[in-house]
Amino acid sequence: MEKQRPKNYDDLPLVLDMKDMQKILGISRTTAYQLVHEDGFPAFRSGNRIKISKEALFKWMENGRA
């Protein structure tokens, strides 16, 4: 079963995974992976997984980079 879409900022986890980011930005999996490899995008690795801080993602979007 797929995770339910968060209704607001406070419903999001502090650390997002790729699927969370895809839903928030309304982008495909391919686009999400291209984005996390761009310079300046606030992603980090946790083992083999790519994670994004919720706060950092929204700051990145506020700066007009989304």
Side-chain angles (χ1 to χ4, degrees), residues 1 4 12-13 24 28 32 41 45 48 51-52 54 58 66:
M1 182 178 260
Q4 192 173 15
L12 294 169
I24 291 166
S28 70
F41 188 81
R45 289 200 176 267
N48 289 333
K51 300 289 185 173
I52 306 98
K54 170 177 76 170
F58 279 81

Side-chain angles (χ1 to χ4, degrees), residues 3-4 7-8 14 25 29 33-35 37 39 42 44 46 52 55 60-61 63-64:
K3 287 194 259 181
Q4 192 173 15
K7 301 289 185 215
N8 61 52
L14 291 175
L25 297 178
R29 181 177 183 214
Y33 277 95
Q34 289 172 344
L35 191 57
H37 289 99
D39 287 339
F44 62 94
S46 178
I52 306 98
E55 184 178 341
W60 180 84
M61 290 190 300
N63 288 327

